[in-house]
Amino acid sequence: MPDLLDERTGFVRRIGLFQATAINMSQMCGIGPFVTIPLMVGAFGGPQAVIGFLAGAVLALADGLVWAELGASLPGAGGSYVYLRQAFQYRTGKLMPFLFVWTAMLFIPLGMATGVIGFVQYLGYLWPGMSQAQGDIVGLVVTAGVLVVLWRRVENIARLTVVLWTVMIASVVLVIVAAFTHFSPERAFTYPAHAFELTSHHFWIGFAAGLTIGIYDYLGYNTAAYLGAEIKRPGRTLPRAILFSILGIMAIYLLLQVGTLGVIPWQDMSDPDNAASSSVASAVLEKSWGKGAADAVTVLILLTAVASVLAGLLGGSRVPYDAARDRVFFRAYGTLHPRHRFPVLGLLTMGGIMAVGFLIGRHTDLTTIIQLLTTVMVIVQALAQIAAVSVLRRRQPQLRRPYRMWLYPLPSIVALVGWLVIYGYADLNSPGRHPVEWSLAWVAAGVVAFLLWARHEKEWPFGPKRISEEYLHGPDPAEEEKAAG
C-alpha cells in the first residue's frame, strides 16, 4: 500500500497497531517502575503499596478512554493541542491550545528527564564509584544520543522502538521470573499495623502520593496520539493501542511490585541509605541469581530507560509543530526536516529542556520532578481534555467518532476525581517544594504570553475568533487509505 500523506500536516501515515502499542508501552514502562517501587513503598509505609499501582491503573484506564475518543475523532499531529483547539475555540479562541503548548514544552521534557535520571541511578549499580559530576556527564551524553537517534524518518524509529520494546519486555520478565523463583509470601503479604486503616489521615496522604507515583508510571499510554497524523487507520488503531498498552503494563507492574516485595524486605526499599532503594531490580536479581545475572539484566534495564525517553521525545516533539502551522506558536516550529519529515526545532528545544530538567533533578530529588510535571500537566491537559469530550459532543455532534467512550460519562468522572486528588494533595506530598504554586505560576505566565501574542497577531480577545472545523468537514483517513490501497 502506498504511503498516505496527511494534507493537513505534511506527515505520512506509516505507523500500524503493533508499532503504536510498542511506542506506548516503551514510554510507559521504561525505567519508571524500577525506580518508583521504593518511592511507592515509602509513601504507603509497607507492602500495601500495591494499592498505588492499582489506583494508578484505574485512573489510566479512565483517562485512556478520554484519549481514545479524542484521538480516534481528531487524529492530528500534537494530540492534545488538536483536541483543545477544536473544543475551546468557540469561547476562548486560541487560549487553551496556546496554554497547552506552553505547558507541554515543560512537562513533556521533564518526564523524559526522569527517565535519564533513572538511567544514571541504575548505572550506579554497575559503576559503584561513579561521582556526581560523572553521572551528570553520562546523563547529558544519553540525552544527546537520543536526539541523534531521533534525527531520522519516523518509520525507521518505529522499527527501532519495536526492538527496544522487546528489550523492555525481556528485562521486566527476567526480573519477575527471578523474583518469583525466590518469592516469600510472608515477606510480600505481611503488613504493618494499621496498614489499611481507612479512617487514618496518614493512609490517605500515602494514597494520594501513591496515586501520583502510580499514574506517573502509567503515563505514556497517550504517546501514539501525539503521532496521530502518522498513524494508519487512526480511528481503529489509536483506541486499541491505548487500551492494549494500559492492560499490558498493568499486568507487568502488578507482577513486578508483588515479586520484588517477596524478595527484598520493604524496610530496605524505603531506606534511602540501602542500595535496594536506588536499584531494587538489580538487588532482586543479585539475591535470586547472583551478581553476574544482576549485571546482565541491569544492562537491559538501562536500554529500557533509553527506549522510554526515545518514545516520549518522539511524540512530544510533534506538539509545537501543529500549533506553529496554526500561528499559535513561533513559526519556526512549523518546519519539517526536508528529507526525514520530522519537526526539527521541536525536537531540539525539548531535548534542551530535558537536559536542564535532568540536571535539576539530579541535584534535588526525583519525587520533586514527578510532582512538578504532574501538577503542570493536570491543569491544562488532563482536566481540559475531560471537558473537551463533552464540549465536542455538544458543539460538533456530526464529527466522525470511530470510537465512543464506553459508559460515558462515567470514565470522565472517574478521571476527573483522580486528577483532582493528585493536584489537591501535591503540596502535602512535597513539603517545601510548592509544586502547585509553581504550576499556577507557569500557567499564569502562559496567559500573559498569550495576551502579548494575541495582541500582536490581532487574535481574540484583541480580534475576531477564527473558527476552524477541518476534522468535521475534512476527509476520513480510513477512507483515504482504502482509496490509496
Side-chain angles (χ1 to χ4, degrees):
M1 178 183 295
D3 292 330
L4 178 66
L5 179 70
D6 188 321
E7 297 295 342
R8 285 182 291 259
T9 61
F11 286 120
V12 180
R13 297 189 181 278
R14 296 187 176 113
I15 301 175
L17 175 60
F18 184 70
Q19 291 173 327
T21 305
I23 288 171
N24 284 351
M25 291 183 71
S26 296
Q27 165 63 4
M28 291 170 74
C29 187
I31 198 73
F34 297 117
V35 297
T36 57
I37 286 176
L39 298 179
M40 186 78 80
V41 171
F44 276 91
Q48 69 272 23
V50 70
I51 296 172
F53 284 112
L54 290 172
V58 171
L59 177 52
L61 282 168
D63 194 57
L65 296 182
V66 172
W67 278 91
E69 176 164 330
L70 293 173
S73 305
L74 307 168
S80 297
Y81 166 76
V82 177
Y83 316 150
L84 302 186
R85 185 190 69 203
Q86 290 292 308
F88 295 103
Q89 61 184 329
Y90 303 98
R91 289 190 178 274
T92 57
K94 295 179 178 178
L95 172 63
M96 288 304 295
F98 182 96
L99 284 179
F100 168 71
V101 178
W102 177 268
T103 54
M105 294 293 283
L106 179 66
F107 73 72
I108 290 175
L110 281 182
M112 300 310 98
T114 64
V116 183
I117 293 169
F119 179 96
V120 175
Q121 187 173 312
Y122 263 78
L123 183 62
Y125 180 82
L126 300 177
W127 185 1
M130 180 174 56
S131 68
Q132 181 80 12
Q134 289 170 328
D136 292 347
I137 293 171
V138 167
L140 293 176
V141 169
V142 169
T143 300
V146 169
L147 292 177
V148 170
V149 172
L150 290 176
W151 204 269
R152 64 197 68 240
R153 295 171 71 88
V154 70
E155 67 269 24
N156 296 330
I157 300 169
R159 286 193 287 267
L160 175 62
T161 302
V162 171
V163 173
L164 292 174
W165 173 81
T166 304
V167 173
M168 180 269 290
I169 293 295
S171 64
V172 295
V173 167
L174 286 170
V175 174
I176 290 169
V177 171
F180 281 96
T181 55
H182 286 70
F183 184 76
S184 166
E186 182 180 359
R187 186 179 293 121
F189 301 115
T190 299
Y191 304 102
H194 313 297
F196 300 100
E197 190 174 315
L198 300 185
T199 57
S200 167
H201 179 69
H202 176 75
F203 174 86
W204 290 110
I205 291 292
F207 177 85
L211 178 61
T212 302
I213 296 167
I215 195 60
Y216 161 77
D217 283 330
Y218 284 99
L219 288 179
Y221 52 84
N222 51 7
T223 302
Y226 288 122
L227 304 167
E230 299 162 85
I231 301 292
K232 297 177 182 177
R233 295 183 174 84
R236 291 168 55 86
T237 299
L238 281 174
R240 293 181 179 188
I242 290 169
L243 293 177
F244 290 169
S245 58
I246 292 173
L247 293 174
I249 291 295
M250 179 175 66
I252 289 171
Y253 282 175
L254 290 178
L255 289 172
L256 198 60
Q257 172 77 73
V258 174
T260 54
L261 286 168
V263 177
I264 306 297
W266 68 266
Q267 295 90 342
D268 292 347
M269 289 191 201
S270 57
D271 181 3
D273 296 324
N274 193 295
S277 67
S278 60
S279 50
V280 65
S282 301
V284 168
L285 265 298
E286 183 173 347
K287 190 168 183 179
S288 300
W289 293 343
K291 186 68 166 61
D295 289 347
V297 176
T298 299
V299 172
L300 296 182
I301 292 173
L302 294 176
L303 291 174
T304 297
V306 173
S308 174
V309 175
L310 188 77
L313 203 57
L314 170 66
S317 63
R318 269 63 178 169
V319 171
Y321 171 76
D322 214 21
R325 286 174 59 90
D326 285 346
R327 297 185 178 180
V328 186
F329 211 62
F330 300 108
R331 297 185 188 184
Y333 284 90
T335 303
L336 293 178
H337 190 281
R339 200 174 109 204
H340 299 312
R341 311 298 294 172
F342 67 86
V344 177
L345 193 55
L347 178 62
L348 291 176
T349 302
M350 288 198 175
I353 296 173
M354 183 174 76
V356 173
F358 161 74
L359 292 175
I360 293 173
R362 282 275 293 168
H363 294 273
T364 54
D365 60 82
L366 183 60
T367 302
T368 297
I369 296 295
I370 292 174
Q371 291 283 3
L372 179 58
L373 74 90
T374 304
T375 51
V376 171
M377 182 194 69
V378 166
I379 303 177
V380 178
Q381 184 182 49
L383 298 183
Q385 282 194 178
I386 292 169
V389 171
S390 298
V391 170
L392 284 169
R393 287 197 176 198
R394 180 169 57 87
R395 288 284 191 175
Q396 297 187 17
Q398 302 305 315
L399 180 67
R400 283 183 295 272
R401 290 178 172 83
Y403 167 80
R404 296 176 70 90
M405 181 189 296
W406 301 330
L407 302 176
Y408 174 83
L410 182 60
S412 292
I413 295 171
V414 172
L416 176 66
V417 172
W419 290 120
L420 288 176
V421 167
I422 287 173
Y423 193 80
Y425 279 85
D427 273 353
L428 293 176
N429 291 326
S430 298
R433 301 296 188 188
H434 307 295
V436 169
E437 288 81 354
W438 280 110
S439 68
L440 292 174
W442 184 258
V443 173
V447 172
V448 172
F450 169 78
L451 292 174
L452 293 173
W453 169 86
R455 186 175 182 84
H456 180 267
E457 298 286 342
K458 295 182 173 52
E459 293 278 355
W460 181 91
F462 303 103
K465 295 174 186 170
R466 306 180 196 276
I467 306 300
S468 173
E469 297 177 329
E470 68 268 30
Y471 290 92
L472 183 60
H473 304 295
D476 183 350
E479 293 300 323
E480 284 188 325
E481 288 194 44
K482 287 180 183 178

Short mmCIF file of all heavy atoms in Angstrom, two decimals, residues 363-406:
data_model
loop_
_atom_site.label_atom_id
_atom_site.label_comp_id
_atom_site.label_asym_id
_atom_site.label_seq_id
_atom_site.Cartn_x
_atom_site.Cartn_y
_atom_site.Cartn_z
N HIS A 363 20.15 17.17 41.23
CA HIS A 363 20.64 17.93 42.38
C HIS A 363 19.51 18.30 43.36
O HIS A 363 19.73 19.07 44.27
CB HIS A 363 21.37 19.18 41.89
CG HIS A 363 22.63 18.86 41.15
ND1 HIS A 363 23.85 18.68 41.78
CD2 HIS A 363 22.87 18.63 39.83
CE1 HIS A 363 24.79 18.40 40.88
NE2 HIS A 363 24.22 18.35 39.69
N THR A 364 18.29 17.76 43.11
CA THR A 364 17.21 17.87 44.11
C THR A 364 16.79 16.43 44.44
O THR A 364 17.48 15.74 45.16
CB THR A 364 16.03 18.71 43.58
OG1 THR A 364 15.59 18.18 42.32
CG2 THR A 364 16.43 20.16 43.39
N ASP A 365 15.64 15.98 43.93
CA ASP A 365 15.24 14.59 44.08
C ASP A 365 14.19 14.26 43.04
O ASP A 365 13.53 15.14 42.49
CB ASP A 365 14.71 14.29 45.49
CG ASP A 365 13.49 15.13 45.83
OD1 ASP A 365 12.38 14.76 45.41
OD2 ASP A 365 13.66 16.17 46.49
N LEU A 366 14.03 12.96 42.75
CA LEU A 366 13.13 12.50 41.70
C LEU A 366 11.67 12.83 42.03
O LEU A 366 10.90 13.20 41.13
CB LEU A 366 13.30 10.99 41.51
CG LEU A 366 12.48 10.34 40.40
CD1 LEU A 366 12.83 10.94 39.04
CD2 LEU A 366 12.70 8.82 40.39
N THR A 367 11.28 12.71 43.29
CA THR A 367 9.90 12.97 43.67
C THR A 367 9.49 14.40 43.33
O THR A 367 8.37 14.66 42.88
CB THR A 367 9.70 12.71 45.17
OG1 THR A 367 10.07 11.36 45.47
CG2 THR A 367 8.25 12.93 45.58
N THR A 368 10.39 15.34 43.53
CA THR A 368 10.09 16.74 43.22
C THR A 368 9.78 16.93 41.74
O THR A 368 8.82 17.61 41.37
CB THR A 368 11.27 17.64 43.62
OG1 THR A 368 11.46 17.55 45.03
CG2 THR A 368 11.00 19.09 43.25
N ILE A 369 10.59 16.33 40.87
CA ILE A 369 10.36 16.44 39.43
C ILE A 369 9.03 15.79 39.06
O ILE A 369 8.26 16.34 38.24
CB ILE A 369 11.52 15.79 38.65
CG1 ILE A 369 12.83 16.54 38.92
CG2 ILE A 369 11.23 15.78 37.16
CD1 ILE A 369 12.84 17.96 38.41
N ILE A 370 8.71 14.63 39.64
CA ILE A 370 7.45 13.96 39.35
C ILE A 370 6.27 14.84 39.74
O ILE A 370 5.29 14.99 39.00
CB ILE A 370 7.38 12.59 40.07
CG1 ILE A 370 8.40 11.62 39.46
CG2 ILE A 370 5.97 12.00 39.98
CD1 ILE A 370 8.50 10.31 40.20
N GLN A 371 6.34 15.45 40.94
CA GLN A 371 5.24 16.30 41.40
C GLN A 371 5.07 17.52 40.50
O GLN A 371 3.95 17.91 40.16
CB GLN A 371 5.51 16.76 42.85
CG GLN A 371 5.43 15.66 43.88
CD GLN A 371 4.00 15.28 44.21
OE1 GLN A 371 3.06 15.78 43.62
NE2 GLN A 371 3.83 14.37 45.16
N LEU A 372 6.17 18.13 40.10
CA LEU A 372 6.08 19.34 39.29
C LEU A 372 5.50 19.03 37.91
O LEU A 372 4.57 19.72 37.45
CB LEU A 372 7.47 19.97 39.13
CG LEU A 372 7.51 21.24 38.26
CD1 LEU A 372 6.59 22.32 38.83
CD2 LEU A 372 8.94 21.77 38.15
N LEU A 373 6.00 17.98 37.24
CA LEU A 373 5.50 17.69 35.90
C LEU A 373 4.03 17.25 35.95
O LEU A 373 3.25 17.55 35.03
CB LEU A 373 6.37 16.65 35.19
CG LEU A 373 6.29 15.18 35.61
CD1 LEU A 373 5.25 14.44 34.78
CD2 LEU A 373 7.64 14.50 35.41
N THR A 374 3.64 16.58 37.03
CA THR A 374 2.25 16.11 37.13
C THR A 374 1.30 17.27 37.36
O THR A 374 0.24 17.36 36.71
CB THR A 374 2.11 15.09 38.28
OG1 THR A 374 3.04 14.02 38.08
CG2 THR A 374 0.70 14.52 38.31
N THR A 375 1.63 18.20 38.27
CA THR A 375 0.73 19.31 38.54
C THR A 375 0.59 20.24 37.34
O THR A 375 -0.51 20.72 37.04
CB THR A 375 1.20 20.12 39.76
OG1 THR A 375 2.59 20.48 39.59
CG2 THR A 375 1.04 19.34 41.04
N VAL A 376 1.68 20.47 36.63
CA VAL A 376 1.59 21.32 35.43
C VAL A 376 0.71 20.65 34.38
O VAL A 376 -0.11 21.31 33.73
CB VAL A 376 3.00 21.58 34.86
CG1 VAL A 376 2.92 22.27 33.51
CG2 VAL A 376 3.80 22.46 35.82
N MET A 377 0.84 19.33 34.23
CA MET A 377 0.07 18.61 33.24
C MET A 377 -1.42 18.56 33.58
O MET A 377 -2.27 18.68 32.69
CB MET A 377 0.61 17.18 33.13
CG MET A 377 -0.09 16.33 32.10
SD MET A 377 0.31 14.58 32.32
CE MET A 377 -0.54 14.23 33.84
N VAL A 378 -1.74 18.43 34.87
CA VAL A 378 -3.14 18.26 35.28
C VAL A 378 -3.98 19.45 34.86
O VAL A 378 -5.09 19.29 34.32
CB VAL A 378 -3.23 18.04 36.80
CG1 VAL A 378 -4.67 18.21 37.28
CG2 VAL A 378 -2.73 16.65 37.17
N ILE A 379 -3.49 20.67 35.08
CA ILE A 379 -4.32 21.86 34.87
C ILE A 379 -4.76 21.99 33.42
O ILE A 379 -5.95 22.13 33.13
CB ILE A 379 -3.56 23.14 35.28
CG1 ILE A 379 -3.10 23.05 36.72
CG2 ILE A 379 -4.45 24.36 35.11
CD1 ILE A 379 -2.28 24.25 37.15
N VAL A 380 -3.81 21.99 32.52
CA VAL A 380 -4.10 22.38 31.14
C VAL A 380 -4.40 21.18 30.25
O VAL A 380 -5.14 21.31 29.28
CB VAL A 380 -2.95 23.21 30.55
CG1 VAL A 380 -3.20 23.58 29.11
CG2 VAL A 380 -2.74 24.47 31.37
N GLN A 381 -3.86 20.01 30.56
CA GLN A 381 -4.10 18.87 29.69
C GLN A 381 -5.19 17.95 30.24
O GLN A 381 -6.24 17.79 29.61
CB GLN A 381 -2.82 18.07 29.48
CG GLN A 381 -3.02 16.91 28.50
CD GLN A 381 -1.77 16.08 28.31
OE1 GLN A 381 -1.14 15.67 29.28
NE2 GLN A 381 -1.40 15.84 27.07
N ALA A 382 -4.96 17.37 31.40
CA ALA A 382 -5.85 16.32 31.89
C ALA A 382 -7.27 16.83 32.11
O ALA A 382 -8.25 16.27 31.59
CB ALA A 382 -5.29 15.72 33.18
N LEU A 383 -7.42 17.89 32.90
CA LEU A 383 -8.76 18.40 33.20
C LEU A 383 -9.43 18.99 31.96
O LEU A 383 -10.62 18.80 31.74
CB LEU A 383 -8.68 19.44 34.31
CG LEU A 383 -8.14 18.95 35.66
CD1 LEU A 383 -8.18 20.07 36.69
CD2 LEU A 383 -8.93 17.75 36.16
N ALA A 384 -8.65 19.69 31.15
CA ALA A 384 -9.22 20.32 29.96
C ALA A 384 -9.70 19.27 28.96
O ALA A 384 -10.74 19.46 28.30
CB ALA A 384 -8.20 21.24 29.32
N GLN A 385 -8.98 18.17 28.82
CA GLN A 385 -9.40 17.14 27.87
C GLN A 385 -10.67 16.44 28.31
O GLN A 385 -11.50 16.06 27.48
CB GLN A 385 -8.28 16.12 27.68
CG GLN A 385 -7.19 16.60 26.79
CD GLN A 385 -6.26 15.49 26.31
OE1 GLN A 385 -5.36 15.76 25.57
NE2 GLN A 385 -6.47 14.27 26.74
N ILE A 386 -10.82 16.26 29.61
CA ILE A 386 -12.07 15.66 30.11
C ILE A 386 -13.25 16.54 29.71
O ILE A 386 -14.28 16.04 29.24
CB ILE A 386 -11.99 15.49 31.63
CG1 ILE A 386 -10.95 14.41 31.99
CG2 ILE A 386 -13.35 15.11 32.21
CD1 ILE A 386 -10.60 14.34 33.44
N ALA A 387 -13.10 17.85 29.86
CA ALA A 387 -14.15 18.77 29.44
C ALA A 387 -14.32 18.75 27.93
O ALA A 387 -15.45 18.86 27.42
CB ALA A 387 -13.83 20.19 29.92
N ALA A 388 -13.22 18.58 27.19
CA ALA A 388 -13.27 18.64 25.72
C ALA A 388 -14.16 17.55 25.13
O ALA A 388 -14.82 17.78 24.11
CB ALA A 388 -11.86 18.54 25.15
N VAL A 389 -14.19 16.37 25.74
CA VAL A 389 -15.04 15.29 25.23
C VAL A 389 -16.51 15.74 25.21
O VAL A 389 -17.21 15.58 24.20
CB VAL A 389 -14.87 14.01 26.07
CG1 VAL A 389 -15.92 12.97 25.68
CG2 VAL A 389 -13.49 13.43 25.90
N SER A 390 -16.98 16.30 26.32
CA SER A 390 -18.37 16.74 26.40
C SER A 390 -18.62 17.96 25.51
O SER A 390 -19.68 18.05 24.87
CB SER A 390 -18.73 17.07 27.86
OG SER A 390 -18.62 15.92 28.67
N VAL A 391 -17.67 18.89 25.48
CA VAL A 391 -17.84 20.09 24.66
C VAL A 391 -17.97 19.70 23.18
O VAL A 391 -18.85 20.21 22.47
CB VAL A 391 -16.65 21.06 24.86
CG1 VAL A 391 -16.70 22.18 23.82
CG2 VAL A 391 -16.68 21.65 26.26
N LEU A 392 -17.12 18.80 22.71
CA LEU A 392 -17.16 18.41 21.30
C LEU A 392 -18.42 17.62 20.98
O LEU A 392 -18.97 17.74 19.86
CB LEU A 392 -15.92 17.59 20.95
CG LEU A 392 -14.64 18.40 20.78
CD1 LEU A 392 -13.42 17.49 20.71
CD2 LEU A 392 -14.71 19.26 19.53
N ARG A 393 -18.91 16.81 21.90
CA ARG A 393 -20.18 16.10 21.64
C ARG A 393 -21.33 17.08 21.45
O ARG A 393 -22.26 16.82 20.69
CB ARG A 393 -20.47 15.13 22.78
CG ARG A 393 -19.58 13.89 22.77
CD ARG A 393 -20.17 12.79 23.62
NE ARG A 393 -19.37 11.57 23.56
CZ ARG A 393 -19.82 10.38 23.91
NH1 ARG A 393 -21.07 10.24 24.32
NH2 ARG A 393 -19.04 9.32 23.83
N ARG A 394 -21.25 18.22 22.15
CA ARG A 394 -22.31 19.22 22.02
C ARG A 394 -22.07 20.14 20.84
O ARG A 394 -22.99 20.45 20.09
CB ARG A 394 -22.39 20.03 23.32
CG ARG A 394 -23.48 21.11 23.32
CD ARG A 394 -23.67 21.67 24.70
NE ARG A 394 -22.43 22.20 25.24
CZ ARG A 394 -22.01 23.45 25.04
NH1 ARG A 394 -22.72 24.28 24.29
NH2 ARG A 394 -20.88 23.87 25.57
N ARG A 395 -20.82 20.58 20.64
CA ARG A 395 -20.50 21.55 19.60
C ARG A 395 -20.39 20.92 18.21
O ARG A 395 -20.71 21.55 17.20
CB ARG A 395 -19.19 22.26 19.93
CG ARG A 395 -19.28 23.24 21.09
CD ARG A 395 -19.95 24.51 20.66
NE ARG A 395 -19.83 25.56 21.67
CZ ARG A 395 -20.26 26.80 21.50
NH1 ARG A 395 -20.82 27.15 20.35
NH2 ARG A 395 -20.11 27.69 22.45
N GLN A 396 -19.88 19.69 18.15
CA GLN A 396 -19.68 19.03 16.85
C GLN A 396 -20.32 17.64 16.88
O GLN A 396 -19.64 16.61 16.82
CB GLN A 396 -18.18 18.93 16.52
CG GLN A 396 -17.48 20.26 16.37
CD GLN A 396 -16.04 20.11 15.89
OE1 GLN A 396 -15.63 19.07 15.38
NE2 GLN A 396 -15.26 21.17 16.04
N PRO A 397 -21.66 17.59 16.96
CA PRO A 397 -22.33 16.28 17.05
C PRO A 397 -22.14 15.42 15.80
O PRO A 397 -22.25 14.20 15.86
CB PRO A 397 -23.80 16.65 17.24
CG PRO A 397 -23.92 18.05 16.72
CD PRO A 397 -22.60 18.71 17.01
N GLN A 398 -21.84 16.05 14.65
CA GLN A 398 -21.67 15.31 13.40
C GLN A 398 -20.22 14.84 13.18
O GLN A 398 -19.93 14.22 12.16
CB GLN A 398 -22.10 16.19 12.21
CG GLN A 398 -23.53 16.68 12.29
CD GLN A 398 -24.52 15.53 12.45
OE1 GLN A 398 -24.43 14.52 11.77
NE2 GLN A 398 -25.46 15.69 13.37
N LEU A 399 -19.33 15.14 14.12
CA LEU A 399 -17.94 14.71 13.99
C LEU A 399 -17.86 13.19 13.92
O LEU A 399 -18.53 12.49 14.69
CB LEU A 399 -17.13 15.22 15.18
CG LEU A 399 -15.64 14.87 15.22
CD1 LEU A 399 -14.89 15.58 14.11
CD2 LEU A 399 -15.05 15.23 16.58
N ARG A 400 -17.04 12.67 12.99
CA ARG A 400 -16.86 11.21 12.92
C ARG A 400 -16.23 10.71 14.22
O ARG A 400 -15.18 11.19 14.63
CB ARG A 400 -15.94 10.84 11.74
CG ARG A 400 -16.62 10.89 10.37
CD ARG A 400 -15.65 10.44 9.30
NE ARG A 400 -14.53 11.36 9.19
CZ ARG A 400 -14.51 12.44 8.42
NH1 ARG A 400 -15.57 12.73 7.69
NH2 ARG A 400 -13.46 13.23 8.39
N ARG A 401 -16.89 9.75 14.84
CA ARG A 401 -16.38 9.17 16.08
C ARG A 401 -16.28 7.65 15.90
O ARG A 401 -17.18 6.91 16.30
CB ARG A 401 -17.28 9.52 17.25
CG ARG A 401 -17.21 11.00 17.64
CD ARG A 401 -18.15 11.36 18.79
NE ARG A 401 -17.91 12.72 19.24
CZ ARG A 401 -18.44 13.81 18.66
NH1 ARG A 401 -19.23 13.66 17.60
NH2 ARG A 401 -18.17 15.01 19.13
N PRO A 402 -15.16 7.18 15.33
CA PRO A 402 -15.00 5.73 15.15
C PRO A 402 -15.04 4.98 16.48
O PRO A 402 -15.38 3.80 16.52
CB PRO A 402 -13.62 5.60 14.49
CG PRO A 402 -13.36 6.95 13.88
CD PRO A 402 -14.03 7.94 14.78
N TYR A 403 -14.66 5.68 17.55
CA TYR A 403 -14.75 5.10 18.89
C TYR A 403 -15.47 6.09 19.79
O TYR A 403 -15.12 7.28 19.82
CB TYR A 403 -13.37 4.78 19.48
CG TYR A 403 -13.44 4.47 20.96
CD1 TYR A 403 -13.83 3.21 21.39
CD2 TYR A 403 -13.18 5.46 21.91
CE1 TYR A 403 -13.94 2.93 22.75
CE2 TYR A 403 -13.29 5.18 23.26
CZ TYR A 403 -13.67 3.93 23.68
OH TYR A 403 -13.80 3.65 25.00
N ARG A 404 -16.45 5.63 20.52
CA ARG A 404 -17.15 6.47 21.51
C ARG A 404 -16.90 5.87 22.88
O ARG A 404 -16.98 4.66 23.08
CB ARG A 404 -18.65 6.54 21.22
CG ARG A 404 -18.99 7.21 19.89
CD ARG A 404 -20.48 7.17 19.60
NE ARG A 404 -21.23 8.04 20.48
CZ ARG A 404 -21.50 9.33 20.23
NH1 ARG A 404 -21.08 9.87 19.09
NH2 ARG A 404 -22.18 10.07 21.06
N MET A 405 -16.61 6.72 23.85
CA MET A 405 -16.26 6.28 25.21
C MET A 405 -17.31 5.33 25.78
O MET A 405 -18.51 5.62 25.77
CB MET A 405 -16.14 7.51 26.11
CG MET A 405 -15.75 7.20 27.55
SD MET A 405 -15.86 8.65 28.62
CE MET A 405 -14.62 9.71 27.88
N TRP A 406 -16.84 4.19 26.27
CA TRP A 406 -17.75 3.25 26.93
C TRP A 406 -18.28 3.87 28.22
O TRP A 406 -17.57 4.54 28.97
CB TRP A 406 -17.01 1.95 27.28
CG TRP A 406 -16.43 1.25 26.09
CD1 TRP A 406 -16.90 1.26 24.81
CD2 TRP A 406 -15.26 0.43 26.07
NE1 TRP A 406 -16.11 0.50 24.00
CE2 TRP A 406 -15.09 -0.02 24.73
CE3 TRP A 406 -14.34 0.03 27.04
CZ2 TRP A 406 -14.03 -0.85 24.35
CZ3 TRP A 406 -13.28 -0.79 26.67
CH2 TRP A 406 -13.14 -1.23 25.33
#
